[in-house]
mmCIF file of all heavy atoms in Angstrom:
data_model
loop_
_atom_site.group_PDB
_atom_site.id
_atom_site.type_symbol
_atom_site.label_atom_id
_atom_site.label_comp_id
_atom_site.label_asym_id
_atom_site.label_seq_id
_atom_site.Cartn_x
_atom_site.Cartn_y
_atom_site.Cartn_z
ATOM 1 N N LEU A 322 4.046 11.932 3.557
ATOM 2 C CA LEU A 322 3.488 12.976 4.417
ATOM 3 C C LEU A 322 3.626 14.321 3.720
ATOM 4 O O LEU A 322 4.742 14.806 3.506
ATOM 5 C CB LEU A 322 4.212 13.004 5.773
ATOM 6 C CG LEU A 322 4.185 11.696 6.570
ATOM 7 C CD1 LEU A 322 5.002 11.838 7.845
ATOM 8 C CD2 LEU A 322 2.746 11.307 6.896
ATOM 9 N N VAL A 323 2.499 14.899 3.337
ATOM 10 C CA VAL A 323 2.511 16.181 2.637
ATOM 11 C C VAL A 323 1.980 17.250 3.588
ATOM 12 O O VAL A 323 0.941 17.056 4.224
ATOM 13 C CB VAL A 323 1.610 16.129 1.385
ATOM 14 C CG1 VAL A 323 1.668 17.452 0.622
ATOM 15 C CG2 VAL A 323 2.026 14.978 0.478
ATOM 16 N N ASP A 324 2.689 18.332 3.679
ATOM 17 C CA ASP A 324 2.219 19.440 4.522
ATOM 18 C C ASP A 324 2.951 20.699 4.102
ATOM 19 O O ASP A 324 3.934 20.637 3.358
ATOM 20 C CB ASP A 324 2.451 19.142 6.007
ATOM 21 C CG ASP A 324 1.407 19.799 6.912
ATOM 22 O OD1 ASP A 324 1.058 20.976 6.666
ATOM 23 O OD2 ASP A 324 0.930 19.136 7.848
ATOM 24 N N VAL A 325 2.480 21.823 4.593
ATOM 25 C CA VAL A 325 3.094 23.096 4.237
ATOM 26 C C VAL A 325 4.473 23.241 4.900
ATOM 27 O O VAL A 325 5.341 23.936 4.384
ATOM 28 C CB VAL A 325 2.126 24.259 4.593
ATOM 29 C CG1 VAL A 325 1.950 24.409 6.096
ATOM 30 C CG2 VAL A 325 2.544 25.547 3.939
ATOM 31 N N VAL A 326 4.662 22.535 6.006
ATOM 32 C CA VAL A 326 5.990 22.479 6.650
ATOM 33 C C VAL A 326 6.481 21.033 6.584
ATOM 34 O O VAL A 326 5.675 20.107 6.476
ATOM 35 C CB VAL A 326 5.938 22.947 8.124
ATOM 36 C CG1 VAL A 326 5.585 24.432 8.190
ATOM 37 C CG2 VAL A 326 4.937 22.129 8.925
ATOM 38 N N PRO A 327 7.800 20.824 6.625
ATOM 39 C CA PRO A 327 8.310 19.443 6.535
ATOM 40 C C PRO A 327 7.830 18.613 7.724
ATOM 41 O O PRO A 327 7.845 19.065 8.875
ATOM 42 C CB PRO A 327 9.838 19.621 6.579
ATOM 43 C CG PRO A 327 10.081 21.053 6.253
ATOM 44 C CD PRO A 327 8.890 21.814 6.750
ATOM 45 N N ALA A 328 7.383 17.398 7.462
ATOM 46 C CA ALA A 328 6.890 16.506 8.517
ATOM 47 C C ALA A 328 8.049 15.690 9.092
ATOM 48 O O ALA A 328 9.063 15.468 8.426
ATOM 49 C CB ALA A 328 5.812 15.587 7.950
ATOM 50 N N HIS A 329 7.898 15.237 10.320
ATOM 51 C CA HIS A 329 8.830 14.300 10.944
ATOM 52 C C HIS A 329 8.690 12.949 10.232
ATOM 53 O O HIS A 329 7.586 12.493 9.982
ATOM 54 C CB HIS A 329 8.464 14.180 12.420
ATOM 55 C CG HIS A 329 9.310 13.219 13.181
ATOM 56 N ND1 HIS A 329 10.697 13.230 13.149
ATOM 57 C CD2 HIS A 329 8.965 12.208 14.014
ATOM 58 C CE1 HIS A 329 11.162 12.263 13.915
ATOM 59 N NE2 HIS A 329 10.123 11.628 14.453
ATOM 60 N N ASP A 330 9.826 12.309 9.910
ATOM 61 C CA ASP A 330 9.747 11.048 9.135
ATOM 62 C C ASP A 330 9.968 9.801 10.003
ATOM 63 O O ASP A 330 10.053 8.692 9.472
ATOM 64 C CB ASP A 330 10.709 11.074 7.944
ATOM 65 C CG ASP A 330 12.175 11.012 8.387
ATOM 66 O OD1 ASP A 330 12.433 10.930 9.619
ATOM 67 O OD2 ASP A 330 13.043 11.056 7.510
ATOM 68 N N PHE A 331 10.094 9.974 11.310
ATOM 69 C CA PHE A 331 10.219 8.856 12.263
ATOM 70 C C PHE A 331 11.466 8.002 11.999
ATOM 71 O O PHE A 331 11.574 6.900 12.523
ATOM 72 C CB PHE A 331 8.971 7.962 12.251
ATOM 73 C CG PHE A 331 7.685 8.715 12.492
ATOM 74 C CD1 PHE A 331 6.917 9.190 11.431
ATOM 75 C CD2 PHE A 331 7.262 8.975 13.787
ATOM 76 C CE1 PHE A 331 5.757 9.892 11.652
ATOM 77 C CE2 PHE A 331 6.084 9.680 14.010
ATOM 78 C CZ PHE A 331 5.333 10.143 12.947
ATOM 79 N N GLY A 332 12.365 8.493 11.144
ATOM 80 C CA GLY A 332 13.551 7.705 10.806
ATOM 81 C C GLY A 332 13.215 6.366 10.159
ATOM 82 O O GLY A 332 13.988 5.419 10.191
ATOM 83 N N ASP A 333 12.019 6.316 9.553
ATOM 84 C CA ASP A 333 11.569 5.050 8.965
ATOM 85 C C ASP A 333 11.717 5.132 7.441
ATOM 86 O O ASP A 333 11.242 6.087 6.829
ATOM 87 C CB ASP A 333 10.099 4.818 9.350
ATOM 88 C CG ASP A 333 9.614 3.423 8.996
ATOM 89 O OD1 ASP A 333 9.669 3.043 7.799
ATOM 90 O OD2 ASP A 333 9.184 2.698 9.915
ATOM 91 N N PRO A 334 12.362 4.147 6.829
ATOM 92 C CA PRO A 334 12.597 4.234 5.380
ATOM 93 C C PRO A 334 11.310 4.229 4.558
ATOM 94 O O PRO A 334 11.333 4.598 3.382
ATOM 95 C CB PRO A 334 13.429 2.983 5.078
ATOM 96 C CG PRO A 334 13.200 2.060 6.220
ATOM 97 C CD PRO A 334 12.930 2.921 7.417
ATOM 98 N N ARG A 335 10.191 3.811 5.146
ATOM 99 C CA ARG A 335 8.928 3.809 4.421
ATOM 100 C C ARG A 335 8.326 5.218 4.299
ATOM 101 O O ARG A 335 7.403 5.436 3.515
ATOM 102 C CB ARG A 335 7.914 2.891 5.114
ATOM 103 C CG ARG A 335 8.260 1.417 5.018
ATOM 104 C CD ARG A 335 7.360 0.581 5.934
ATOM 105 N NE ARG A 335 7.625 0.837 7.356
ATOM 106 C CZ ARG A 335 6.970 0.288 8.372
ATOM 107 N NH1 ARG A 335 5.976 -0.555 8.126
ATOM 108 N NH2 ARG A 335 7.291 0.564 9.619
ATOM 109 N N VAL A 336 8.856 6.158 5.111
ATOM 110 C CA VAL A 336 8.248 7.496 5.153
ATOM 111 C C VAL A 336 8.961 8.458 4.200
ATOM 112 O O VAL A 336 10.187 8.537 4.182
ATOM 113 C CB VAL A 336 8.277 8.075 6.585
ATOM 114 C CG1 VAL A 336 7.710 9.499 6.603
ATOM 115 C CG2 VAL A 336 7.488 7.171 7.535
ATOM 116 N N VAL A 337 8.178 9.147 3.391
ATOM 117 C CA VAL A 337 8.689 10.203 2.517
ATOM 118 C C VAL A 337 7.946 11.479 2.889
ATOM 119 O O VAL A 337 6.731 11.438 3.126
ATOM 120 C CB VAL A 337 8.408 9.865 1.032
ATOM 121 C CG1 VAL A 337 8.883 10.990 0.117
ATOM 122 C CG2 VAL A 337 9.046 8.539 0.657
ATOM 123 N N THR A 338 8.650 12.584 2.993
ATOM 124 C CA THR A 338 7.975 13.834 3.323
ATOM 125 C C THR A 338 8.117 14.827 2.174
ATOM 126 O O THR A 338 9.160 14.893 1.525
ATOM 127 C CB THR A 338 8.549 14.467 4.617
ATOM 128 O OG1 THR A 338 9.887 14.900 4.365
ATOM 129 C CG2 THR A 338 8.553 13.463 5.763
ATOM 130 N N VAL A 339 7.042 15.560 1.944
ATOM 131 C CA VAL A 339 7.050 16.604 0.914
ATOM 132 C C VAL A 339 6.458 17.861 1.541
ATOM 133 O O VAL A 339 5.348 17.816 2.100
ATOM 134 C CB VAL A 339 6.203 16.191 -0.316
ATOM 135 C CG1 VAL A 339 6.036 17.376 -1.268
ATOM 136 C CG2 VAL A 339 6.845 15.015 -1.036
ATOM 137 N N ALA A 340 7.194 18.955 1.465
ATOM 138 C CA ALA A 340 6.662 20.231 1.961
ATOM 139 C C ALA A 340 6.168 21.040 0.766
ATOM 140 O O ALA A 340 6.873 21.205 -0.220
ATOM 141 C CB ALA A 340 7.741 20.995 2.722
ATOM 142 N N GLY A 341 4.932 21.521 0.850
ATOM 143 C CA GLY A 341 4.399 22.308 -0.253
ATOM 144 C C GLY A 341 2.948 22.697 0.000
ATOM 145 O O GLY A 341 2.358 22.312 1.016
ATOM 146 N N ASP A 342 2.406 23.414 -0.959
ATOM 147 C CA ASP A 342 1.048 23.952 -0.843
ATOM 148 C C ASP A 342 0.064 22.954 -1.435
ATOM 149 O O ASP A 342 0.054 22.701 -2.633
ATOM 150 C CB ASP A 342 0.993 25.283 -1.600
ATOM 151 C CG ASP A 342 -0.383 25.908 -1.601
ATOM 152 O OD1 ASP A 342 -1.315 25.334 -0.997
ATOM 153 O OD2 ASP A 342 -0.543 26.973 -2.236
ATOM 154 N N ILE A 343 -0.793 22.422 -0.587
ATOM 155 C CA ILE A 343 -1.731 21.382 -0.991
ATOM 156 C C ILE A 343 -2.774 21.912 -1.996
ATOM 157 O O ILE A 343 -3.432 21.131 -2.691
ATOM 158 C CB ILE A 343 -2.412 20.776 0.273
ATOM 159 C CG1 ILE A 343 -3.191 19.511 -0.047
ATOM 160 C CG2 ILE A 343 -3.314 21.779 0.950
ATOM 161 C CD1 ILE A 343 -2.322 18.336 -0.313
ATOM 162 N N ALA A 344 -2.901 23.227 -2.078
ATOM 163 C CA ALA A 344 -3.837 23.811 -3.060
ATOM 164 C C ALA A 344 -3.168 24.054 -4.407
ATOM 165 O O ALA A 344 -3.785 24.579 -5.327
ATOM 166 C CB ALA A 344 -4.427 25.107 -2.520
ATOM 167 N N ASP A 345 -1.914 23.655 -4.519
ATOM 168 C CA ASP A 345 -1.160 23.822 -5.770
ATOM 169 C C ASP A 345 -1.332 22.555 -6.622
ATOM 170 O O ASP A 345 -0.873 21.470 -6.253
ATOM 171 C CB ASP A 345 0.312 24.058 -5.404
ATOM 172 C CG ASP A 345 1.221 24.076 -6.624
ATOM 173 O OD1 ASP A 345 0.703 24.071 -7.766
ATOM 174 O OD2 ASP A 345 2.453 24.087 -6.429
ATOM 175 N N ALA A 346 -2.018 22.723 -7.763
ATOM 176 C CA ALA A 346 -2.332 21.557 -8.611
ATOM 177 C C ALA A 346 -1.060 20.832 -9.057
ATOM 178 O O ALA A 346 -1.058 19.601 -9.188
ATOM 179 C CB ALA A 346 -3.159 21.993 -9.819
ATOM 180 N N ALA A 347 0.018 21.590 -9.255
ATOM 181 C CA ALA A 347 1.276 20.968 -9.695
ATOM 182 C C ALA A 347 1.820 20.048 -8.599
ATOM 183 O O ALA A 347 2.335 18.952 -8.889
ATOM 184 C CB ALA A 347 2.299 22.043 -10.048
ATOM 185 N N LEU A 348 1.712 20.463 -7.354
ATOM 186 C CA LEU A 348 2.158 19.600 -6.256
ATOM 187 C C LEU A 348 1.315 18.326 -6.203
ATOM 188 O O LEU A 348 1.864 17.216 -6.092
ATOM 189 C CB LEU A 348 2.056 20.340 -4.912
ATOM 190 C CG LEU A 348 2.452 19.452 -3.725
ATOM 191 C CD1 LEU A 348 3.790 19.878 -3.133
ATOM 192 C CD2 LEU A 348 1.383 19.423 -2.646
ATOM 193 N N LEU A 349 -0.001 18.476 -6.323
ATOM 194 C CA LEU A 349 -0.874 17.301 -6.285
ATOM 195 C C LEU A 349 -0.558 16.358 -7.440
ATOM 196 O O LEU A 349 -0.610 15.138 -7.294
ATOM 197 C CB LEU A 349 -2.351 17.733 -6.318
ATOM 198 C CG LEU A 349 -2.828 18.403 -5.029
ATOM 199 C CD1 LEU A 349 -4.213 19.007 -5.232
ATOM 200 C CD2 LEU A 349 -2.862 17.398 -3.873
ATOM 201 N N HIS A 350 -0.226 16.935 -8.586
ATOM 202 C CA HIS A 350 0.168 16.143 -9.746
ATOM 203 C C HIS A 350 1.416 15.321 -9.441
ATOM 204 O O HIS A 350 1.512 14.139 -9.806
ATOM 205 C CB HIS A 350 0.401 17.075 -10.938
ATOM 206 C CG HIS A 350 0.600 16.350 -12.231
ATOM 207 N ND1 HIS A 350 1.820 15.875 -12.626
ATOM 208 C CD2 HIS A 350 -0.282 16.005 -13.189
ATOM 209 C CE1 HIS A 350 1.684 15.276 -13.795
ATOM 210 N NE2 HIS A 350 0.421 15.330 -14.163
ATOM 211 N N ASP A 351 2.350 15.930 -8.708
ATOM 212 C CA ASP A 351 3.595 15.234 -8.385
ATOM 213 C C ASP A 351 3.409 14.136 -7.334
ATOM 214 O O ASP A 351 4.060 13.093 -7.407
ATOM 215 C CB ASP A 351 4.644 16.227 -7.850
ATOM 216 C CG ASP A 351 5.170 17.142 -8.946
ATOM 217 O OD1 ASP A 351 4.946 16.819 -10.141
ATOM 218 O OD2 ASP A 351 5.777 18.173 -8.621
ATOM 219 N N VAL A 352 2.564 14.385 -6.352
ATOM 220 C CA VAL A 352 2.514 13.458 -5.218
ATOM 221 C C VAL A 352 1.484 12.337 -5.371
ATOM 222 O O VAL A 352 1.530 11.353 -4.640
ATOM 223 C CB VAL A 352 2.285 14.194 -3.875
ATOM 224 C CG1 VAL A 352 3.474 15.097 -3.545
ATOM 225 C CG2 VAL A 352 0.979 14.994 -3.868
ATOM 226 N N ILE A 353 0.518 12.517 -6.285
ATOM 227 C CA ILE A 353 -0.486 11.455 -6.478
ATOM 228 C C ILE A 353 -0.273 10.829 -7.854
ATOM 229 O O ILE A 353 -0.240 11.531 -8.864
ATOM 230 C CB ILE A 353 -1.924 12.017 -6.399
ATOM 231 C CG1 ILE A 353 -2.142 12.737 -5.068
ATOM 232 C CG2 ILE A 353 -2.950 10.893 -6.572
ATOM 233 C CD1 ILE A 353 -3.492 13.445 -4.963
ATOM 234 N N ASP A 354 -0.105 9.526 -7.888
ATOM 235 C CA ASP A 354 -0.056 8.815 -9.169
ATOM 236 C C ASP A 354 -0.810 7.502 -9.042
ATOM 237 O O ASP A 354 -1.460 7.263 -8.017
ATOM 238 C CB ASP A 354 1.405 8.608 -9.642
ATOM 239 C CG ASP A 354 2.216 7.812 -8.646
ATOM 240 O OD1 ASP A 354 1.627 6.987 -7.899
ATOM 241 O OD2 ASP A 354 3.445 7.985 -8.606
ATOM 242 N N THR A 355 -0.771 6.691 -10.055
ATOM 243 C CA THR A 355 -1.583 5.463 -10.030
ATOM 244 C C THR A 355 -1.078 4.467 -8.984
ATOM 245 O O THR A 355 -1.756 3.469 -8.704
ATOM 246 C CB THR A 355 -1.618 4.766 -11.399
ATOM 247 O OG1 THR A 355 -0.269 4.557 -11.830
ATOM 248 C CG2 THR A 355 -2.346 5.615 -12.429
ATOM 249 N N GLN A 356 0.094 4.720 -8.399
ATOM 250 C CA GLN A 356 0.597 3.873 -7.311
ATOM 251 C C GLN A 356 -0.025 4.247 -5.971
ATOM 252 O O GLN A 356 0.100 3.505 -4.995
ATOM 253 C CB GLN A 356 2.131 3.989 -7.214
ATOM 254 C CG GLN A 356 2.866 3.613 -8.493
ATOM 255 C CD GLN A 356 2.520 2.203 -8.940
ATOM 256 O OE1 GLN A 356 2.669 1.248 -8.197
ATOM 257 N NE2 GLN A 356 2.006 2.085 -10.169
ATOM 258 N N THR A 357 -0.650 5.427 -5.908
ATOM 259 C CA THR A 357 -1.234 5.892 -4.639
ATOM 260 C C THR A 357 -2.487 5.076 -4.346
ATOM 261 O O THR A 357 -3.497 5.211 -5.047
ATOM 262 C CB THR A 357 -1.609 7.387 -4.739
ATOM 263 O OG1 THR A 357 -0.486 8.116 -5.245
ATOM 264 C CG2 THR A 357 -2.043 7.940 -3.395
ATOM 265 N N THR A 358 -2.440 4.236 -3.328
ATOM 266 C CA THR A 358 -3.600 3.380 -3.047
ATOM 267 C C THR A 358 -4.550 3.998 -2.023
ATOM 268 O O THR A 358 -5.737 3.681 -2.023
ATOM 269 C CB THR A 358 -3.159 1.998 -2.536
ATOM 270 O OG1 THR A 358 -2.124 2.181 -1.570
ATOM 271 C CG2 THR A 358 -2.631 1.145 -3.674
ATOM 272 N N SER A 359 -4.008 4.872 -1.141
ATOM 273 C CA SER A 359 -4.838 5.407 -0.061
ATOM 274 C C SER A 359 -4.436 6.843 0.240
ATOM 275 O O SER A 359 -3.245 7.146 0.308
ATOM 276 C CB SER A 359 -4.632 4.606 1.234
ATOM 277 O OG SER A 359 -4.899 3.244 1.022
ATOM 278 N N ILE A 360 -5.441 7.687 0.427
ATOM 279 C CA ILE A 360 -5.175 9.079 0.814
ATOM 280 C C ILE A 360 -5.986 9.393 2.060
ATOM 281 O O ILE A 360 -7.213 9.236 2.062
ATOM 282 C CB ILE A 360 -5.548 10.050 -0.316
ATOM 283 C CG1 ILE A 360 -4.732 9.747 -1.581
ATOM 284 C CG2 ILE A 360 -5.339 11.496 0.125
ATOM 285 C CD1 ILE A 360 -5.163 10.552 -2.809
ATOM 286 N N PHE A 361 -5.288 9.808 3.103
ATOM 287 C CA PHE A 361 -5.968 10.390 4.267
ATOM 288 C C PHE A 361 -5.859 11.893 4.092
ATOM 289 O O PHE A 361 -4.767 12.464 4.230
ATOM 290 C CB PHE A 361 -5.297 9.942 5.560
ATOM 291 C CG PHE A 361 -5.486 8.495 5.894
ATOM 292 C CD1 PHE A 361 -4.618 7.526 5.405
ATOM 293 C CD2 PHE A 361 -6.546 8.082 6.701
ATOM 294 C CE1 PHE A 361 -4.790 6.176 5.717
ATOM 295 C CE2 PHE A 361 -6.725 6.738 7.015
ATOM 296 C CZ PHE A 361 -5.848 5.777 6.529
ATOM 297 N N HIS A 362 -6.984 12.529 3.751
ATOM 298 C CA HIS A 362 -6.941 13.960 3.458
ATOM 299 C C HIS A 362 -7.337 14.736 4.722
ATOM 300 O O HIS A 362 -8.516 14.987 4.977
ATOM 301 C CB HIS A 362 -7.880 14.261 2.289
ATOM 302 C CG HIS A 362 -7.909 15.705 1.908
ATOM 303 N ND1 HIS A 362 -6.798 16.520 1.930
ATOM 304 C CD2 HIS A 362 -8.927 16.513 1.472
ATOM 305 C CE1 HIS A 362 -7.124 17.734 1.545
ATOM 306 N NE2 HIS A 362 -8.410 17.746 1.272
ATOM 307 N N LEU A 363 -6.323 15.061 5.517
ATOM 308 C CA LEU A 363 -6.547 15.725 6.811
ATOM 309 C C LEU A 363 -6.252 17.216 6.753
ATOM 310 O O LEU A 363 -6.642 17.964 7.656
ATOM 311 C CB LEU A 363 -5.650 15.100 7.889
ATOM 312 C CG LEU A 363 -5.616 13.566 7.999
ATOM 313 C CD1 LEU A 363 -4.714 13.152 9.155
ATOM 314 C CD2 LEU A 363 -7.008 12.997 8.185
ATOM 315 N N ALA A 364 -5.534 17.675 5.719
ATOM 316 C CA ALA A 364 -5.105 19.093 5.667
ATOM 317 C C ALA A 364 -6.323 20.014 5.691
ATOM 318 O O ALA A 364 -7.281 19.800 4.957
ATOM 319 C CB ALA A 364 -4.294 19.335 4.398
ATOM 320 N N ALA A 365 -6.265 21.021 6.539
ATOM 321 C CA ALA A 365 -7.355 21.994 6.597
ATOM 322 C C ALA A 365 -6.896 23.255 7.301
ATOM 323 O O ALA A 365 -5.996 23.214 8.138
ATOM 324 C CB ALA A 365 -8.567 21.425 7.318
ATOM 325 N N VAL A 366 -7.522 24.353 6.931
ATOM 326 C CA VAL A 366 -7.426 25.591 7.701
ATOM 327 C C VAL A 366 -8.505 25.492 8.770
ATOM 328 O O VAL A 366 -9.667 25.187 8.453
ATOM 329 C CB VAL A 366 -7.664 26.801 6.784
ATOM 330 C CG1 VAL A 366 -7.898 28.067 7.605
ATOM 331 C CG2 VAL A 366 -6.473 26.982 5.860
ATOM 332 N N VAL A 367 -8.147 25.682 10.031
ATOM 333 C CA VAL A 367 -9.093 25.450 11.131
ATOM 334 C C VAL A 367 -10.187 26.525 11.172
ATOM 335 O O VAL A 367 -10.096 27.561 10.506
ATOM 336 C CB VAL A 367 -8.363 25.333 12.496
ATOM 337 C CG1 VAL A 367 -7.474 24.100 12.509
ATOM 338 C CG2 VAL A 367 -7.586 26.597 12.809
ATOM 339 N N SER A 368 -11.222 26.232 11.993
ATOM 340 C CA SER A 368 -12.463 27.013 11.945
ATOM 341 C C SER A 368 -12.286 28.509 12.178
ATOM 342 O O SER A 368 -12.814 29.330 11.426
ATOM 343 C CB SER A 368 -13.469 26.436 12.941
ATOM 344 O OG SER A 368 -12.893 26.327 14.232
ATOM 345 N N GLY A 369 -11.551 28.868 13.226
ATOM 346 C CA GLY A 369 -11.404 30.291 13.544
ATOM 347 C C GLY A 369 -10.663 31.024 12.438
ATOM 348 O O GLY A 369 -11.012 32.152 12.063
ATOM 349 N N GLN A 370 -9.652 30.351 11.889
ATOM 350 C CA GLN A 370 -8.856 30.978 10.838
ATOM 351 C C GLN A 370 -9.663 31.088 9.523
ATOM 352 O O GLN A 370 -9.591 32.097 8.835
ATOM 353 C CB GLN A 370 -7.580 30.158 10.610
ATOM 354 C CG GLN A 370 -6.529 30.884 9.789
ATOM 355 C CD GLN A 370 -5.207 30.135 9.719
ATOM 356 O OE1 GLN A 370 -5.124 28.964 10.104
ATOM 357 N NE2 GLN A 370 -4.178 30.808 9.251
#
Side-chain angles (χ1 to χ4, degrees):
Chain A
L322 302 177
V323 182
D324 210 318
V325 68
V326 294
H329 178 51
D330 70 1
F331 305 94
D333 190 302
R335 291 170 292 178
V336 177
V337 178
T338 68
V339 171
D342 177 1
I343 191 73
D345 173 9
L348 177 109
L349 289 170
H350 189 275
D351 289 345
V352 295
I353 304 174
D354 59 28
T355 54
Q356 302 303 305
T357 310
T358 45
S359 303
I360 300 173
F361 290 88
H362 180 37
L363 312 182
V366 166
V367 295
S368 53
Q370 194 173 12

